[in-house]
Amino acid sequence: MTTVTTEVDYGGSRSSIHDVGTIHLSVDQDTSTISTVGAETIIEKESPIADDPTSKWNKNDAYDSGPDGGLTGWLVVVGAFLGYFTSFGTETAWGILQEHFEREVFSDIPDAQFQLSFAGTLIGLLVNLMGPLYQILSARYGVRPVLILGLLIMVLGLMLASFTTQIWHLYLTQGVLFGMGAAFLYMTALMVPAQWFNRRRGFAMGCVTCGSGIGGVVLPFLMTELNTRYGIAWTYRILGFAYLGLNAITFLLVKEKYPRHKKIKAVDDGEAQPAVSPPTLREIFDFSILKDPTFLWWMIASIISTLGCFTPYFFLPSYATYNGLASADGTVFMAVLAGSNFVGRFGLGYIADHIGRLNTHIISTLLAAVSVFAIWTIAFDYNTIMAFAIVYGFFGTSYYALMSPITATIVGIEKFPTALSVMMLSNCISIIGPNIASAIENSVASEPYFSYKMFVGACFGLGGLLLLGLKIKMTGKIFSRI
């Protein structure tokens, strides 16, 4: 008869098990249960990790346990930032080009503003609608060929737009061609950097997405200066050449850590290895996420909260002139919105890695609602409107900074590409948010712009509460890090 002593490590907590007889131990790693076979006693102990409802989500979005970023990872961030700057930044600055066309080119068309607005809408729709096509192409051929294709289509759209003589020309060039090419750069910027980071993923994605904020600050002034000096045609051509150079850097720096288009062959045992076939559509898309109630909750909460997101960007300049301010003041407010947006995406990404990404998004969404109800509703002078632009710009777009890492946390890395494509499709609904707000404004008898304020505040408030409910569903508590 022998005595057997077994020590088991439960994440820092050790237990000693003593018994007499011949004992065979089996360990279930999922439940951390230890049982003896061939002895009279069965000893079980639950790991503290198993009792933690956040443990699943904390490990759900980890690609691996390798270095967090490294030089290659941060170079990928730089390349993705440039892709975000040229794609989403140009979409943000479309109003400058639209205003020039309306004033200088199509001034004889009564509803030119209405017709031109559809070109900007098409950019947003194409950027989001092309997600599934991007996923198919990148899974079959890799990211870099798709980047080249997107860059060429985007530059072609800008070059052809320089020959615009009719408004519908812009629909095909600025809207469809540029939007399609920008979508491939935008999706790459959202998907690839996340592969290189775990602990600092929120900060890394904040650095990437702040490209749109910088684009919103730099591009309007650049476009205005180019329009004044050289005219709209050469503005498009100069932007086309500039984007070609910037995104050539994106092509050189951005690469996948785990290319999905390459399948791992079996170990060479001297026999002929089968050819590596391209992945099928069933392998590319995992639509089981549509049966996941947690993901569906996340998607619905995101749709509601982002419905009001862009309304201030559309109407704050006209709101300023309605209150007796100069049109130049409206331009300043837009620049401040974009600049605060840049700081917010950078800062919120950093905060998210310390207090939790979903936590940061919930707080930001609710504070965006507070900024609308507490500041915009009483903003009738320059200083108060400026205060609203600063606060709302910082908190109002946290979704776009944290969408990628939060989605990875909810569905896991294997289903992340499909989930991100579905989220991008759902973003199309938020694009029509300003149109919904305008329809409400035109149908109610209230003080001008009051319904805009209520619509934006209600969207963020309800969305924030739904996100809080999502957190409770995932972790079972309000105060937890996720």
Side-chain angles (χ1 to χ4, degrees):
M1 303 290 286
T2 58
T3 300
V4 178
T5 301
T6 304
E7 283 194 328
V8 184
D9 189 346
Y10 298 97
S13 173
R14 290 188 176 272
S15 293
S16 296
I17 305 171
H18 302 269
D19 205 346
V20 178
T22 304
I23 299 176
H24 304 279
L25 296 180
S26 64
V27 180
D28 185 338
Q29 294 181 345
D30 291 330
T31 61
S32 299
T33 301
I34 294 143
S35 57
T36 61
V37 181
E40 295 182 358
T41 8
I42 297 178
I43 303 171
E44 297 182 352
K45 179 176 179 178
E46 293 294 326
S47 167
I49 296 177
D51 295 332
D52 183 3
T54 65
S55 60
K56 169 188 174 182
W57 311 108
N58 290 337
K59 66 183 180 181
N60 205 27
D61 63 346
Y63 274 92
D64 54 35
S65 57
D68 205 45
L71 177 60
T72 303
W74 287 110
L75 289 176
V76 170
V77 167
V78 172
F81 167 87
L82 294 175
Y84 221 96
F85 176 88
T86 55
S87 59
F88 209 89
T90 305
E91 180 186 354
T92 304
W94 159 249
I96 300 297
L97 299 173
Q98 175 178 314
E99 188 274 337
H100 185 88
F101 275 117
E102 181 184 347
R103 175 170 46 87
E104 299 291 341
V105 183
F106 303 115
S107 57
D108 57 332
I109 300 178
D111 60 345
Q113 183 184 53
F114 175 74
Q115 293 186 46
L116 287 166
S117 66
F118 282 101
T121 302
L122 279 172
I123 298 174
L125 285 174
L126 264 295
V127 165
N128 289 284
L129 287 174
M130 297 302 294
L133 179 59
Y134 169 86
Q135 189 178 344
I136 293 172
L137 293 177
S138 62
R140 286 178 175 262
Y141 307 109
V143 162
R144 285 187 165 177
V146 180
L147 270 178
I148 285 290
L149 177 63
L151 175 57
L152 294 177
I153 294 175
M154 185 174 72
V155 172
L156 177 64
L158 292 174
M159 294 300 183
L160 292 178
S162 68
F163 298 101
T164 294
T165 57
Q166 301 291 330
I167 292 179
W168 65 267
H169 294 172
L170 289 172
Y171 297 165
L172 299 179
T173 56
Q174 180 88 21
V176 175
L177 285 177
F178 179 85
M180 182 184 297
F184 292 162
L185 273 80
Y186 176 62
M187 290 296 295
T188 300
L190 283 179
M191 283 192 175
V192 177
Q195 298 179 5
W196 295 89
F197 296 88
N198 291 321
R199 184 172 56 87
R200 296 179 180 175
R201 187 178 298 157
F203 178 66
M205 292 308 301
C207 293
V208 170
T209 59
C210 73
S212 66
I214 294 181
V217 173
V218 174
L219 290 176
F221 293 103
L222 176 62
M223 290 174 178
T224 300
E225 184 66 21
L226 291 175
N227 286 336
T228 302
R229 289 194 178 193
Y230 307 110
I232 190 69
W234 273 104
T235 296
Y236 273 115
R237 292 164 192 159
I238 292 171
L239 288 176
F241 286 120
Y243 289 3
L244 185 64
L246 289 173
N247 291 133
I249 300 175
T250 299
F251 172 77
L252 292 174
L253 295 183
V254 172
K255 66 177 181 178
E256 295 175 282
K257 190 174 186 180
Y258 302 107
R260 289 192 299 151
H261 69 291
K262 294 182 180 179
K263 289 185 177 181
I264 300 175
K265 296 182 179 180
V267 177
D268 191 357
D269 54 4
E271 299 180 2
Q273 300 297 323
V276 180
S277 58
T280 63
L281 286 179
R282 182 171 294 182
E283 291 174 324
I284 295 172
F285 292 102
D286 187 349
F287 287 112
S288 63
I289 61 169
L290 297 178
K291 300 178 182 179
D292 182 350
T294 304
F295 173 74
L296 294 177
W297 193 326
W298 160 240
M299 183 175 67
I300 292 171
S302 300
I303 290 173
I304 293 174
S305 64
T306 56
L307 263 179
C309 177
F310 294 110
T311 300
Y313 289 87
F314 273 65
F315 299 108
L316 200 59
S318 59
Y319 178 75
T321 55
Y322 168 76
N323 284 281
L325 300 175
S327 59
D329 293 329
T331 303
V332 172
F333 293 143
M334 290 302 295
V336 170
L337 263 178
S340 185
N341 181 358
F342 156 66
V343 176
R345 295 191 186 210
F346 187 83
L348 292 175
Y350 178 81
I351 294 171
D353 289 333
H354 290 78
I355 70 171
R357 294 150 194 168
L358 184 57
N359 290 342
T360 303
H361 182 41
I362 293 171
I363 294 170
S364 299
T365 302
L366 293 175
L367 286 178
V370 170
S371 73
V372 173
F373 289 131
I375 305 177
W376 197 14
T377 54
I378 61 171
F380 304 108
D381 57 69
Y382 183 91
N383 291 334
T384 314
I385 298 176
M386 178 63 75
F388 169 71
I390 294 173
V391 178
Y392 180 82
F394 188 91
F395 293 109
T397 56
S398 63
Y399 168 76
Y400 295 96
L402 300 173
M403 172 184 66
S404 179
I406 292 176
T407 301
T409 297
I410 291 174
V411 303
I413 291 305
E414 291 297 324
K415 300 178 181 179
F416 172 63
T418 301
L420 189 59
S421 293
V422 173
M423 291 299 294
M424 295 296 295
L425 290 175
S426 71
N427 288 348
C428 294
I429 301 175
S430 67
I431 294 174
I432 66 172
N435 304 94
I436 296 174
S438 292
I440 296 173
E441 173 77 8
N442 294 331
S443 62
V444 299
S446 63
E447 175 188 347
Y449 294 94
F450 180 77
S451 62
Y452 289 130
K453 301 172 184 178
M454 294 299 101
F455 176 77
V456 176
C459 288
F460 276 106
L462 179 57
L465 293 177
L466 286 173
L467 290 170
L468 182 60
L470 173 64
K471 176 188 175 177
I472 295 174
K473 179 182 184 300
M474 292 172 66
T475 66
K477 36 179 125 167
I478 296 179
F479 300 104
S480 58
R481 184 182 184 278
I482 183 170

